[in-house]
Amino acid sequence: QVQLVESGGGLVQAGGSLRLSCAASGRTFSLVAMGWFRQAPGKEREFVGRINWRYSATYYADSVKGRFTISRDNAKNTVYLQMNSLKPEDTAVYYCAAASSISYSTTPGSYNYWGQGTQVTVSS
């Protein structure tokens, strides 16, 4: 089992920045990728980006490319989502997720473990 604990959400004005953290514990050696997803009220869960657990290669959704950056601290088993130039449409609950078999997926069903979610609200 892998446990994921998120932190760092909050309220920010449009154009501002936030950094989310996701600390992983447990059988982290079994992981192949970490992903970030978000879900706005009334909408489906949406892929934001992912990072390869071993090689730190990243991939982003077009909607956040150039504004969001995913990074990893190996020593802390923590993944970060740095969000810059935030827009009101970025408002959502953000989830980190961990995959143990598929390293390149953008679909929620391919991720085996999920954090509790953290609210990000961007005011206009």
Side-chain angles (χ1 to χ4, degrees):
Q1 288 289 334
V2 174
Q3 295 78 41
L4 304 175
V5 178
E6 302 171 28
S7 60
L11 173 65
V12 65
Q13 290 188 335
S17 298
L18 278 176
R19 188 179 79 159
L20 306 184
S21 300
C22 177
S25 61
R27 298 171 61 89
T28 58
F29 60 86
S30 67
L31 299 180
V32 296
M34 295 284 287
W36 286 96
F37 291 80
R38 65 187 181 186
Q39 189 166 18
K43 294 189 176 181
E44 294 187 352
R45 194 163 295 190
E46 174 190 23
F47 172 79
V48 173
R50 67 168 186 261
I51 185 166
N52 184 286
W53 187 248
R54 296 177 183 175
Y55 307 113
S56 295
T58 55
Y59 179 79
Y60 301 96
D62 287 343
S63 58
V64 306
K65 199 173 296 182
R67 300 188 297 124
F68 290 12
T69 302
I70 298 175
S71 61
R72 181 190 166 197
D73 184 328
N74 291 352
K76 296 182 179 180
N77 277 342
T78 299
V79 173
Y80 303 97
L81 177 65
Q82 177 67 43
M83 304 184 292
N84 298 329
S85 302
L86 282 161
K87 305 175 182 179
E89 51 263 44
D90 294 319
T91 295
V93 177
Y94 283 70
Y95 298 90
C96 69
S100 57
S101 57
I102 300 175
S103 64
Y104 52 82
S105 179
T106 62
T107 59
S110 297
Y111 290 79
N112 308 95
Y113 308 99
W114 290 83
Q116 79 280 8
T118 186
Q119 177 70 46
V120 171
T121 303
V122 184
S123 63
S124 58

